Each structure stands twice: as C-alpha cells, then as structure tokens.
Amino acid sequence: MKHLQPINQKAGKIEHYLEHDVVALSGQPRGYTVPQQPDSPHIPMGCSLVFSPGWEVDRSGGTAGLCQPVERDLFDCHLGCFWPAHVPDQLNHSPDWTSKCAAAQKDWRSLDIIFP
Amino acid sequence: MTTKPREPRIPVAYMLVIGSLIFFAAALLSPRDSIAVSPQSSSQDEEGSDVGIAVEHAATVSNCVSCHAMDDAGRMTRISYERKTPEGWQQTIRRMVLLNDVELEPDVARDIVRYLADEHGLAPEEARPGFFEAERRVIDYDYEDDDTEVLCIQCHSMGRVITQRRTKEEWELLVAMHRGYYPLVDTQGNPGFRRRGPPSSDGDGPSDSRHPMEKAIDHLAATYPLETDEWTAWSANRRAPRLGGRWGIAGHSAFSGPMYGFVDVTPVEGSEGEFTTEATLTNVRSGEATTRTGSANVYTGFQWRGRSTDPGEGDSMREVMFIERDWRRMSGRWFTGAYDEIGLDVTLYRADGPLITGVYPVALRTGAEMEELTIYGINLPTDVQPADIDFGPRVVVTEIIDAGADAIRLRASVATDAAIGKRDLFVGAAARPEALVVFDTVDAVRVTPQAGMARVGGVVAPKQFAQFEAIGVSNGPDGEPGTDDDLDLGALDVTWSLEEYSATFDDDDIDFVGELGADGLFTPALDGPNPGRSGNRNNVGDVWAVATYESEELGRPLRGRALLIVTVPLYLNMRGWEPGR
C-alpha cells in the first residue's frame, strides 16, 4: 500500500485498519490462519460453531457475530428450544423459567440458572 | 431423590400437537422418515436375534419395569440394548426423574447407576477415546465422520455420543427422542436432522437421498454397536480392582504448576470397588504441602469417580481417573470451578518400592553449575550418594543437600558440550523416563492453552476463569522451530498483558472483557447488558493473552500469545449429582 495514497476518508480508514491486523479483512470465515493459531477455529467442549450465530462463538470462531446482548434474544431461545443445551427449554425442562422475568433485557437479574 | 410436585404444564398440549403434526407430516412426506418410535418395540422380537443384556438387579427391575417391560430372558426394553458410562446412565436416570415423574431415593439411584455402569458399561478400549467427556476437559476434538459430527456438536460435545453403544433400533430411538423433546431440531441448524431440499449429488454417482439424521444413525449403528469383541472380553474379565495401598502422584495444573506427593487408598470394608483416600500434595513452586481426604467408587472395573476435599481450605474437587489394566497406574483429571475449568492433570503410580514421580525444575541449561534441583518420589533411599543418581552423560550430581524418602534435594552441573534432549533418571532401583530436559537456549514462549475460554459472570451466572501458562520452548537438536524434537522447558516467569484481537473495525473488546493478572489468571467482567458499551453489548470479546519473557541470552524480549474468547454464560447447567459422590 505504500505506493498508494488514500484520497478520501474511506480509503484512509481502510489503510488504518490494514495496519492494525483486522482479522475480518485478512481471511475467510473458517479455516483462517493467524500467527500461532491452528488453521481452524477452536471448538471447545460444549461450543457450537455451526449455527450462525452460535452460542459461545460465531462461525468465525469469535464473539463478534453473537446475538448481543444475549439477554435480548434469550426468551426466543427458551421458547423455541433453540439452544437446548445452553438455555432451559420451555417445552419440557423449565416451562416456568420466564415467570419472574417479563423482559430479560430489563429484568435479567431475576433469571435463574437451571440445574436440572 | 424425590420429584417436586409438578404444576400443570400448559405447553404439554402444545408439544403434543406440534409433535403429532411433525410425525404425521414426516410420515406423509417420505417413507424413509418412518423411524420406529414405538416405545415398547424391542430388538428381541427380531427373528433369530438374541442381542440384549439381561437385567439382574432388583432395584433396577422394580423401579423401571412399570414402563420398561421385561421379556422371558430378563431383557428390559431400552435398558437391555444400551451401554454407557456412569455419567451416561446418570443422565438417563435424571431425565426419567425430571420428565417422567420417576421417584428415587438418592441411594437407590446410585445403586442403579452402579449396576448399569458395571453390567451395561463400556470396555476400557471403548471408553478411552471419549474419556475427555467425563474428565470435563476442554479440547479440540475432530470426529472421523463429518455428517455425524456436525449433527451432534451443534448442541453438545461429541464425547457424549462416542461413549455410548446401542443397537441400531436404539440409535433410531435416541434420534426420535431428540425430535420429540426438541421439535425444532428437524429444521434448525445447518444441517437440521432433516434435509431441507433435494439431495445433493456428488458428481456422476447416484445422489444420497438419506436425511442427515439417517446418515448419522447408519454411521452410529455401524461404529458403536451394542455387541463388540471388546465388551465381551472385558465382561468376562472384569472384577472389582484391588487398589489399596500407597500411590505416588504427579500432577500439573496451570493454576498451581507441578504438584507431587502421594495418595493412600483404603478399601471400604465389605464393599466392592469403594475406597477412601488421603492425599498429600506439595506445590513445588511454593513448597507448600496440602492434604486432601476423599472417597471414590470404581465403575466397570476401571473408571475411578471420586471427590476429595482439603479440610483446611474446604475446596472440593471431583476426581475422574482411568485405571490401567495392570492396576499399577491411573491417570485423569481432578477438577472444580463453576464450569469445571479449574483442573489438575494427575497420574498415580503404585508405590510398592522406590518410585520417582518427577523433578523440579524440569530443565537444566548446558553449562549450568551447581544448579539446585529436587527429585520427588516415594520410598526414595535416604542414604543416597551423588553417584547413585544418574541423569545420563555429562550431567553430574555434585552434592546431595538433603535426602528424604519423598524428596531428594541436590545440586547438579551440566557440561557446556552436553547433548541437548530428554534424559531418563535413575535413582538406585527407581527410574523415571524423560524426567529432565537438557537445553541450550529458550528459543520461544508458548502460551497454553493456545485457545482459552472464559465466561462473563458474577451477577446471575458464575464466572468462568481462564488460566494461562507460559512454557519455554527450545528448538531441540535440529535447531528448527516447530519440529517434533522441540523441547518443553516448563513454565517461565513472564509478564502478562492483554492485546486486542481485532475481529471488527474499531474493536474495543479489551476495554470490557476483564483483567489478566500477573499470574496469568484471567478474571472475566460481569454478566448482563453493559449500558456503557455500544448496543448494550455484554462484556464479551476476543483478545490475545500475551506473555513477554525477558531473554538475557538474546538481549530482547520473547513473546508468545494465545487467543482468549470471553463469552456468554450457560443458563442451563446439566451437572448436579455425580457418580462417586
């Protein structure tokens, strides 16, 4: 890039980001390589990489693509049993999980962690 | 264990309606979908089939027979056609209690788990590949069959799958159970249990019209059948192991470094496979000794499940170990923490003679003079002379500072031209292969784990901590980095810091995720939406944990780094009571 000069703001930003190792600009979502890293995202136990977004990590193996804040989306996960190993499911295990908490984004402190 | 009174559940009707619609629609759409879900259909009805393990245990029969019918050969539906680990059977019983209103006293439940894990369990060869599941180890695991792997790991670890053995009908029923309890699995994820379009064709060959779940069932039934040669041989050979006596222990934890000591194992009188333990462990960095008392059950003749507590600290650790067939060695993980993330990797050696468990420090530099080193072990000779201690060519023990039965402190020198590499250690009649590393330079710093995970917590959810360790690496005899002969030199004293892992433009995770302490322990920030962050995001993010080592010989710092994922909590924790408690 040294022989090119940015002539507008956007080009200036791109140059800035390229100098600062933005992973999103440097490879494909899966199978990317960064120094000292294995060439595929780490799959810790219990993690799910396959949904987009995932629970612990997104398809790229990072957190940038997760539903955020998680509380905003939590009841959908509960009602649809979308994350049955991560969120109590409404159909069977925890039909009353949301009874103390009408809107998770406001009342998230009333949520219970379930130990079935 | 008793069930709490259950309130009427409105969603039952909803579930039944959805469930029946799904199965009805599935049956209409494709005859291939008609997976057997009849709860009482059993493999013993198949013509000429004699598979199935008879249930000969009064408590199991009396508590389960009202739903699981028994045939003339003593085989019960479902139960006789599955084999699992103690954790697998515990999960089954927990589901029966939670969802099917079974009422069991805790002692009876434990008795049933013990019987089923022993008689409907796994052989050692079958359990070993998935042992990480019981050890609660966070590892990278790559399963051989991609179709099956992708179907299972969208919700849970593959370890849960590969530690089960079933008939084909049982694998079908397991899939049916998932579809019944979690109806969205048919369509959610990529892929769901059912294919959502025309079958894909590979080149010129005929397309595979099976649904993803059918591919998985075919694979699992072929790879993990109920009857195997390994299980036949092990069930003929299995007995309660006699493990009483003193065991030397070598442990390592990223939290505390190397730990050496001994465990006294005492059989519980009148029991089979039950033990009490008393362990003394010395943290070699601080020199501090701690004791732990505990108890354990051994399932299926080789699966140690215990719990031990430090009476002073009151901290309790679960113990999961694999006992080798010669009853001379067992290894596994002792762990605690809200997410089982704080663990000690242990190996126990039977100590019926002199035994070396390890040395500290684990590496000596060429040219080192009068370097202090300690040999840890059991029944070591107290009258040992420098000449009795053999680290191999050109490593000379110059002085014994102090010789005790469990530790020998000494000084050793290494010639400047000594060959670098791993050295076996002999002390009299005791030996420890590859006990010491001789090296010339610290060429790199490797941060372990290479990918760590923490979870925000402290308000609703507990925190999941992440501990990093900086290991010195020598390039080994070939002088090339990243080759098989690289040498691990043990933990280094380093300076820890966090750096941004820029996954997006203007990534600011580092300002929110938490703190990395001087000891390499990462403490995540609080859970909950953070009003101080754009979009009220949680304090999640991706950062580098960076270790900086001031290398005197190179005259410049060496750096190593590991990716740290700080992520959201789990709102469902499937632990609870465990086998061996």
Side-chain angles (χ1 to χ4, degrees), chain B residues 43-101:
Chain B
S43 298
Q44 72 268 36
D45 295 333
E46 292 169 15
E47 196 179 340
S49 170
D50 60 352
V51 301
I53 305 164
V55 179
E56 295 163 345
H57 184 242
T60 308
V61 172
S62 63
N63 284 289
C64 308
V65 76
S66 58
C67 294
H68 297 278
M70 184 182 248
D71 69 6
D72 295 341
R75 295 174 298 193
M76 299 175 77
T77 56
R78 312 296 313 263
I79 302 167
S80 288
Y81 306 95
E82 302 175 4
R83 295 190 285 116
K84 302 182 204 180
T85 57
E87 284 77 12
W89 283 115
Q90 172 200 289
Q91 215 154 25
T92 302
I93 290 177
R94 186 188 286 146
R95 192 170 61 242
M96 295 300 136
V97 169
L98 284 168
L99 301 180
N100 295 332
D101 296 330

Coordinates of all heavy atoms in Angstrom, one line a residue, chain B residues 43-101:
Chain B
S43 N -35.6 -55.1 20.3 CA -34.8 -55.9 19.3 C -35.0 -57.4 19.5 O -34.7 -58.2 18.7 CB -33.3 -55.6 19.5 OG -33.2 -54.2 19.1
Q44 N -35.4 -57.8 20.7 CA -35.5 -59.2 21.0 C -36.6 -59.9 20.2 O -36.7 -61.1 20.0 CB -35.7 -59.6 22.5 CG -37.0 -59.2 23.0 CD -37.0 -57.8 23.6 OE1 -36.4 -56.9 23.1 NE2 -37.8 -57.7 24.7
D45 N -37.5 -59.0 19.6 CA -38.6 -59.5 18.8 C -38.1 -59.9 17.4 O -38.8 -60.6 16.6 CB -39.7 -58.5 18.6 CG -40.4 -58.2 20.0 OD1 -40.3 -59.1 20.8 OD2 -40.8 -57.1 20.2
E46 N -36.9 -59.4 17.0 CA -36.4 -59.7 15.7 C -36.2 -61.2 15.6 O -35.6 -61.8 16.5 CB -35.2 -58.9 15.4 CG -35.4 -57.5 15.3 CD -34.1 -56.7 15.2 OE1 -33.0 -57.3 15.1 OE2 -34.2 -55.5 15.4
E47 N -36.5 -61.7 14.5 CA -36.4 -63.2 14.3 C -34.9 -63.6 14.5 O -34.0 -63.1 13.8 CB -36.9 -63.6 12.9 CG -37.1 -65.1 12.8 CD -37.7 -65.4 11.4 OE1 -38.2 -64.5 10.8 OE2 -37.6 -66.6 11.1
G48 N -34.7 -64.6 15.3 CA -33.4 -65.1 15.5 C -32.4 -64.2 16.3 O -31.3 -64.6 16.5
S49 N -32.9 -63.1 16.7 CA -32.0 -62.2 17.4 C -31.9 -62.5 18.9 O -32.9 -62.7 19.5 CB -32.5 -60.7 17.2 OG -31.7 -59.9 18.1
D50 N -30.7 -62.6 19.4 CA -30.6 -62.9 20.8 C -29.7 -61.8 21.5 O -29.1 -62.0 22.5 CB -29.9 -64.2 21.1 CG -28.6 -64.3 20.5 OD1 -28.2 -63.4 19.7 OD2 -27.9 -65.3 20.7
V51 N -29.7 -60.6 20.9 CA -28.9 -59.5 21.5 C -29.7 -59.0 22.7 O -30.9 -59.2 22.9 CB -28.6 -58.3 20.5 CG1 -27.9 -58.8 19.3 CG2 -29.9 -57.6 20.1
G52 N -29.0 -58.2 23.5 CA -29.7 -57.6 24.7 C -29.1 -58.2 25.9 O -28.8 -59.4 26.0
I53 N -28.9 -57.3 26.9 CA -28.3 -57.7 28.2 C -29.4 -57.9 29.2 O -30.1 -56.9 29.5 CB -27.2 -56.7 28.6 CG1 -26.2 -56.4 27.5 CG2 -26.5 -57.1 29.9 CD1 -25.4 -55.2 27.7
A54 N -29.5 -59.1 29.8 CA -30.5 -59.3 30.9 C -30.2 -58.4 32.1 O -29.1 -58.1 32.4 CB -30.5 -60.7 31.3
V55 N -31.3 -57.9 32.7 CA -31.2 -57.0 33.9 C -31.4 -57.9 35.1 O -32.5 -58.5 35.2 CB -32.2 -55.9 33.8 CG1 -32.0 -55.0 35.1 CG2 -32.0 -55.0 32.6
E56 N -30.4 -58.1 35.9 CA -30.5 -58.9 37.1 C -30.2 -58.1 38.3 O -29.3 -58.4 39.0 CB -29.5 -60.1 36.9 CG -29.8 -61.0 35.7 CD -28.7 -61.9 35.3 OE1 -27.5 -61.6 35.8 OE2 -28.9 -62.9 34.6
H57 N -31.0 -57.1 38.5 CA -30.7 -56.2 39.7 C -32.1 -55.8 40.2 O -32.9 -55.1 39.5 CB -29.9 -55.0 39.2 CG -29.5 -54.1 40.3 ND1 -29.9 -52.8 40.4 CD2 -28.8 -54.3 41.4 CE1 -29.4 -52.2 41.5 NE2 -28.7 -53.1 42.1
A58 N -32.4 -56.1 41.4 CA -33.7 -56.0 42.0 C -34.2 -54.5 41.9 O -35.3 -54.2 41.5 CB -33.8 -56.5 43.4
A59 N -33.3 -53.6 42.3 CA -33.7 -52.2 42.4 C -34.0 -51.6 41.0 O -34.9 -50.9 40.7 CB -32.7 -51.3 43.1
T60 N -33.2 -52.0 40.0 CA -33.4 -51.6 38.6 C -34.7 -52.1 38.1 O -35.5 -51.4 37.5 CB -32.2 -52.0 37.7 OG1 -30.9 -51.6 38.4 CG2 -32.2 -51.4 36.4
V61 N -34.9 -53.4 38.3 CA -36.1 -54.0 37.8 C -37.3 -53.3 38.4 O -38.2 -52.9 37.7 CB -36.1 -55.5 38.0 CG1 -37.5 -56.1 37.6 CG2 -35.0 -56.2 37.2
S62 N -37.4 -53.3 39.7 CA -38.6 -52.8 40.4 C -38.9 -51.3 40.1 O -40.0 -50.9 40.0 CB -38.5 -53.0 41.9 OG -37.4 -52.2 42.4
N63 N -37.9 -50.5 39.9 CA -38.1 -49.1 39.6 C -38.3 -48.8 38.2 O -38.8 -47.7 37.8 CB -36.9 -48.2 40.1 CG -36.9 -48.1 41.6 OD1 -37.8 -47.4 42.2 ND2 -36.0 -48.8 42.3
C64 N -38.0 -49.7 37.3 CA -38.0 -49.3 35.9 C -39.1 -50.2 35.1 O -39.5 -49.8 34.0 CB -36.7 -49.5 35.2 SG -35.3 -48.7 36.0
V65 N -39.5 -51.3 35.7 CA -40.3 -52.3 34.9 C -41.7 -51.8 34.6 O -42.3 -52.2 33.6 CB -40.3 -53.6 35.7 CG1 -41.3 -53.6 36.8 CG2 -40.7 -54.8 34.7
S66 N -42.2 -50.8 35.3 CA -43.5 -50.3 35.0 C -43.6 -49.7 33.7 O -44.7 -49.7 33.0 CB -44.0 -49.3 36.1 OG -43.1 -48.2 36.2
C67 N -42.5 -49.1 33.1 CA -42.5 -48.7 31.8 C -41.7 -49.6 30.8 O -42.0 -49.7 29.7 CB -41.9 -47.2 31.7 SG -42.9 -46.0 32.5
H68 N -40.6 -50.1 31.4 CA -39.7 -50.9 30.5 C -40.0 -52.4 30.7 O -39.5 -53.0 31.7 CB -38.2 -50.6 30.9 CG -37.8 -49.2 30.6 ND1 -37.5 -48.7 29.4 CD2 -37.8 -48.1 31.4 CE1 -37.2 -47.4 29.4 NE2 -37.4 -47.0 30.7
A69 N -40.8 -52.9 29.9 CA -41.3 -54.3 30.1 C -40.1 -55.3 30.0 O -39.2 -55.0 29.2 CB -42.3 -54.6 29.0
M70 N -40.3 -56.4 30.7 CA -39.2 -57.4 30.7 C -39.7 -58.6 30.0 O -40.9 -59.0 30.1 CB -38.9 -57.7 32.2 CG -37.8 -58.7 32.4 SD -37.6 -59.0 34.1 CE -36.0 -58.2 34.4
D71 N -38.8 -59.2 29.2 CA -39.2 -60.4 28.5 C -38.8 -61.7 29.3 O -38.2 -61.6 30.4 CB -38.7 -60.4 27.0 CG -37.2 -60.6 27.0 OD1 -36.5 -60.8 28.1 OD2 -36.6 -60.5 25.9
D72 N -39.0 -62.8 28.7 CA -38.7 -64.1 29.4 C -37.2 -64.3 29.7 O -36.8 -64.9 30.6 CB -39.2 -65.3 28.6 CG -40.7 -65.3 28.5 OD1 -41.4 -64.6 29.4 OD2 -41.3 -65.9 27.6
A73 N -36.4 -63.6 28.9 CA -35.0 -63.8 29.1 C -34.4 -62.7 30.0 O -33.2 -62.6 30.2 CB -34.3 -63.7 27.7
G74 N -35.3 -61.9 30.7 CA -34.9 -60.9 31.6 C -34.4 -59.6 31.0 O -33.8 -58.8 31.6
R75 N -34.7 -59.5 29.7 CA -34.3 -58.2 29.0 C -35.4 -57.2 29.1 O -36.6 -57.5 28.8 CB -33.9 -58.5 27.5 CG -32.7 -59.5 27.4 CD -32.5 -59.9 26.0 NE -33.6 -60.6 25.4 CZ -33.5 -61.3 24.3 NH1 -32.4 -61.3 23.6 NH2 -34.5 -61.9 23.8
M76 N -35.0 -56.0 29.4 CA -36.0 -54.9 29.5 C -35.8 -54.0 28.3 O -34.7 -53.7 27.8 CB -35.7 -54.1 30.8 CG -35.9 -55.0 32.1 SD -35.5 -54.2 33.6 CE -37.0 -53.2 33.8
T77 N -37.0 -53.4 27.9 CA -37.0 -52.6 26.7 C -36.0 -51.4 27.0 O -35.9 -50.9 28.1 CB -38.4 -52.0 26.3 OG1 -38.9 -51.4 27.5 CG2 -39.3 -53.2 25.9
R78 N -35.4 -50.9 26.0 CA -34.4 -49.8 26.0 C -33.2 -50.2 26.9 O -32.1 -50.2 26.4 CB -35.0 -48.5 26.6 CG -36.3 -48.0 26.0 CD -36.3 -47.7 24.6 NE -35.1 -46.9 24.1 CZ -35.2 -45.6 24.0 NH1 -36.3 -44.9 24.2 NH2 -34.1 -44.9 23.6
I79 N -33.4 -50.5 28.2 CA -32.2 -50.6 29.1 C -31.3 -51.7 28.6 O -30.0 -51.6 28.7 CB -32.7 -50.9 30.5 CG1 -33.7 -49.8 31.0 CG2 -31.6 -51.1 31.5 CD1 -34.5 -50.1 32.2
S80 N -31.8 -52.8 28.1 CA -31.0 -54.0 27.8 C -30.3 -53.8 26.5 O -29.4 -54.7 26.1 CB -31.9 -55.3 27.7 OG -32.3 -55.6 29.0
Y81 N -30.5 -52.8 25.8 CA -30.0 -52.6 24.4 C -29.0 -51.4 24.3 O -28.8 -50.9 23.2 CB -31.1 -52.5 23.4 CG -32.0 -53.7 23.6 CD1 -33.2 -53.6 24.3 CD2 -31.7 -54.9 23.0 CE1 -34.0 -54.7 24.5 CE2 -32.5 -56.1 23.2 CZ -33.6 -56.0 23.9 OH -34.4 -57.1 24.1
E82 N -28.6 -50.9 25.5 CA -27.7 -49.8 25.5 C -26.5 -50.1 26.5 O -26.7 -50.8 27.5 CB -28.4 -48.5 26.1 CG -29.6 -48.1 25.3 CD -30.3 -46.9 26.0 OE1 -29.8 -46.4 27.1 OE2 -31.4 -46.6 25.6
R83 N -25.4 -49.5 26.2 CA -24.3 -49.5 27.2 C -23.7 -48.1 27.3 O -23.6 -47.4 26.3 CB -23.2 -50.4 26.7 CG -23.6 -51.9 26.7 CD -22.5 -52.9 26.5 NE -22.0 -52.9 25.2 CZ -20.7 -52.5 24.8 NH1 -19.9 -52.0 25.7 NH2 -20.4 -52.6 23.5
K84 N -23.4 -47.6 28.5 CA -22.9 -46.2 28.7 C -21.9 -46.1 29.8 O -21.8 -47.1 30.6 CB -24.1 -45.3 29.0 CG -25.2 -45.3 28.0 CD -26.3 -44.3 28.5 CE -27.6 -44.6 27.9 NZ -28.6 -43.7 28.3
T85 N -21.4 -45.0 30.0 CA -20.5 -44.6 31.1 C -21.4 -44.3 32.3 O -22.6 -44.2 32.2 CB -19.7 -43.3 30.8 OG1 -20.6 -42.3 30.5 CG2 -18.7 -43.5 29.7
P86 N -20.8 -44.3 33.5 CA -21.6 -43.9 34.7 C -22.4 -42.5 34.5 O -23.5 -42.4 34.8 CB -20.6 -43.8 35.8 CG -19.4 -44.5 35.4 CD -19.4 -44.6 33.9
E87 N -21.7 -41.6 33.8 CA -22.3 -40.3 33.6 C -23.5 -40.4 32.6 O -24.5 -39.7 32.7 CB -21.3 -39.3 33.0 CG -20.3 -38.7 34.0 CD -19.2 -39.7 34.4 OE1 -19.0 -40.7 33.7 OE2 -18.4 -39.4 35.3
G88 N -23.3 -41.3 31.6 CA -24.4 -41.5 30.7 C -25.6 -42.1 31.4 O -26.7 -41.6 31.1
W89 N -25.4 -43.1 32.2 CA -26.6 -43.7 33.0 C -27.2 -42.6 33.9 O -28.4 -42.6 34.1 CB -26.2 -45.0 33.7 CG -26.1 -46.1 32.7 CD1 -25.0 -46.8 32.4 CD2 -27.1 -46.7 31.9 NE1 -25.2 -47.8 31.4 CE2 -26.6 -47.7 31.2 CE3 -28.5 -46.4 31.8 CZ2 -27.3 -48.5 30.3 CZ3 -29.3 -47.2 30.9 CH2 -28.7 -48.2 30.2
Q90 N -26.3 -41.9 34.5 CA -26.8 -40.8 35.5 C -27.7 -39.9 34.7 O -28.8 -39.5 35.2 CB -25.6 -40.1 36.1 CG -26.1 -38.9 36.9 CD -25.0 -37.9 37.1 OE1 -24.1 -38.2 37.8 NE2 -25.1 -36.8 36.5
Q91 N -27.3 -39.5 33.5 CA -28.1 -38.6 32.7 C -29.4 -39.2 32.4 O -30.5 -38.5 32.4 CB -27.3 -38.2 31.5 CG -27.5 -36.8 31.0 CD -26.3 -36.3 30.2 OE1 -25.6 -37.1 29.6 NE2 -26.1 -35.1 30.2
T92 N -29.4 -40.4 32.0 CA -30.7 -41.1 31.7 C -31.6 -41.1 32.9 O -32.8 -40.8 32.8 CB -30.4 -42.6 31.3 OG1 -29.5 -42.6 30.2 CG2 -31.7 -43.3 31.0
I93 N -31.1 -41.5 34.1 CA -31.9 -41.5 35.3 C -32.5 -40.1 35.6 O -33.6 -39.9 36.0 CB -31.2 -42.1 36.5 CG1 -31.0 -43.6 36.1 CG2 -31.9 -42.0 37.8 CD1 -30.2 -44.4 37.2
R94 N -31.6 -39.1 35.5 CA -32.0 -37.8 35.8 C -33.2 -37.4 34.8 O -34.1 -36.7 35.3 CB -30.8 -36.8 35.6 CG -31.2 -35.4 36.0 CD -30.1 -34.5 35.7 NE -28.9 -34.6 36.5 CZ -27.7 -34.5 36.1 NH1 -27.4 -34.2 34.9 NH2 -26.7 -34.6 37.0
R95 N -33.1 -37.8 33.6 CA -34.1 -37.4 32.7 C -35.4 -38.1 33.1 O -36.5 -37.6 33.0 CB -33.7 -37.8 31.2 CG -34.7 -37.2 30.2 CD -34.2 -37.3 28.8 NE -34.0 -38.7 28.4 CZ -32.8 -39.2 28.1 NH1 -31.8 -38.5 28.1 NH2 -32.8 -40.5 27.7
M96 N -35.3 -39.4 33.5 CA -36.5 -40.1 33.9 C -37.2 -39.4 35.1 O -38.4 -39.3 35.2 CB -36.1 -41.6 34.3 CG -35.6 -42.4 33.2 SD -36.9 -42.6 31.9 CE -35.8 -42.3 30.5
V97 N -36.3 -38.9 36.0 CA -36.9 -38.2 37.2 C -37.5 -36.9 36.8 O -38.6 -36.6 37.3 CB -35.7 -38.0 38.3 CG1 -36.2 -37.1 39.4 CG2 -35.3 -39.3 38.8
L98 N -36.8 -36.2 36.0 CA -37.3 -34.8 35.6 C -38.5 -34.9 34.7 O -39.5 -34.1 34.9 CB -36.2 -34.1 34.9 CG -35.1 -33.5 35.7 CD1 -33.9 -33.1 34.8 CD2 -35.5 -32.4 36.5
L99 N -38.5 -35.7 33.8 CA -39.6 -35.6 32.7 C -40.6 -36.8 32.8 O -41.7 -36.7 32.3 CB -38.9 -35.6 31.4 CG -38.0 -34.5 31.1 CD1 -37.4 -34.6 29.7 CD2 -38.6 -33.1 31.3
N100 N -40.3 -37.9 33.5 CA -41.2 -39.0 33.5 C -41.7 -39.3 34.9 O -42.2 -40.4 35.2 CB -40.6 -40.2 32.9 CG -40.3 -40.0 31.4 OD1 -41.0 -39.2 30.7 ND2 -39.3 -40.6 30.8
D101 N -41.5 -38.4 35.9 CA -42.0 -38.5 37.2 C -41.5 -39.7 38.0 O -42.3 -40.2 38.8 CB -43.5 -38.4 37.2 CG -44.0 -37.1 36.7 OD1 -43.3 -36.1 36.9 OD2 -45.1 -37.0 36.0

